[in-house]
Amino acid sequence: QQQVRQSPQSLTVWEGETAILNCSYEDSTFNYFPWYQQFPGEGPALLISIRSVSDKKEDGRFTIFFNKREKKLSLHITDSQPGDSATYFCAASTTGGNNKLTFGQGTVLSVIP
Amino acid sequence: DMKVTQMPRYLIKRMGENVLLECGQDMSHETMYWYRQDPGLGLQLIYISYDVDSNSEGDIPKGYRVSRKKREHFSLILDSAKTNQTSVYFCASSPGTYYEQYFGPGTRLTVL
């Protein structure tokens, strides 16, 4: 059973548009949600994260919106740039969860110049 | 400069051969991980290590074992590799929960 689900699997936007990547989860004990960015041939790297006590986290052009009641979150990338083209993973963990992260299957973002 | 290294970067083995993947980190992190990444499946946790000789199974440990004899070094071993173990393997390290996991560049393993 997939504990963390992402949609869409792939997304194409024009340069300057806002890309919206969605994530949902099953386990109500999850309380920490990092998003990782992965470029081809590289390992994932932390992009931005949010804890369940917040409903929004902003870092430059990247914003996470979190809805605890619906167990959903989304990553908004405003003014998308070709350099943002990558795979984005939503992940989740819980306090006392033995330091484990559960990853979604990823969304491949392509930004067309 | 915080870094996770993996060796080798590419490896081709025949079915039934033994495989050793190495990982190192220079951040003195207690926790280290091994994941595999397959298209459409994201990152799946194979093993987690909380410190030297303190290892725990992840979600897909079957067919794998690990060794951690020094805090900075974590090995993944495949005894008698199978073709369905063809994948990209990532090592990561972290100071703990709520902290960033730092990933290595990955090892692309092909088992023929």
Side-chain angles (χ1 to χ4, degrees), chain A:
Chain A
Q1 183 184 359
Q2 190 76 25
Q3 291 274 5
V4 177
R5 289 191 177 89
Q6 291 185 245
S7 64
Q9 282 190 316
S10 63
L11 177 65
T12 300
V13 300
W14 294 100
E15 182 175 356
E17 290 186 333
T18 296
I20 300 175
L21 289 66
N22 300 303
C23 180
S24 64
Y25 61 97
E26 302 280 337
D27 190 339
S28 59
T29 66
F30 286 152
N31 55 12
Y32 171 63
F33 303 89
W35 284 82
Y36 281 78
Q37 180 188 54
Q38 184 182 30
F39 295 107
E42 298 182 9
L46 180 66
L47 179 66
I48 186 172
S49 64
I50 193 168
R51 300 189 186 186
S52 60
V53 294
S54 302
D55 55 16
K56 181 181 176 181
K57 178 77 173 291
E58 199 168 345
D59 185 358
R61 297 185 294 109
F62 301 91
T63 303
I64 300 174
F65 293 92
F66 178 67
N67 185 323
K68 188 173 183 177
R69 183 179 60 83
E70 295 188 8
K71 297 182 189 174
K72 291 181 178 179
L73 56 159
S74 60
L75 175 67
H76 292 226
I77 306 173
T78 58
D79 188 25
S80 296
Q81 301 297 309
D84 297 330
S85 297
T87 301
Y88 293 80
F89 291 100
C90 172
S93 70
T94 183
T95 307
N98 297 322
N99 297 354
K100 292 183 181 179
L101 276 177
T102 300
F103 284 86
Q105 73 273 39
T107 293
V108 179
L109 175 66
S110 300
V111 181
I112 302 172

Side-chain angles (χ1 to χ4, degrees), chain B residues 38-65:
Chain B
D38 302 290
L41 294 180
L43 290 146
Q44 298 176 273
L45 180 64
I46 304 171
Y47 266 94
I48 182 171
S49 174
Y50 297 103
D51 211 328
V52 172
D53 285 331
S54 179
N55 306 317
S56 180
E57 294 181 346
D59 299 319
I60 53 163
K62 188 177 179 181
Y64 304 94
R65 61 184 176 93

Side-chain angles (χ1 to χ4, degrees), chain B residues 15-61:
Chain B
M15 190 170 58
E17 291 185 330
N18 298 331
V19 177
L20 174 65
L21 305 185
E22 312 260 26
C23 175
Q25 51 102 357
D26 60 2
M27 298 166 278
S28 297
H29 287 165
E30 291 182 349
T31 310
M32 295 186 74
Y33 311 79
W34 276 106
Y35 294 91
R36 64 176 284 176
Q37 184 176 31
D38 302 290
L41 294 180
L43 290 146
Q44 298 176 273
L45 180 64
I46 304 171
Y47 266 94
I48 182 171
S49 174
Y50 297 103
D51 211 328
V52 172
D53 285 331
S54 179
N55 306 317
S56 180
E57 294 181 346
D59 299 319
I60 53 163

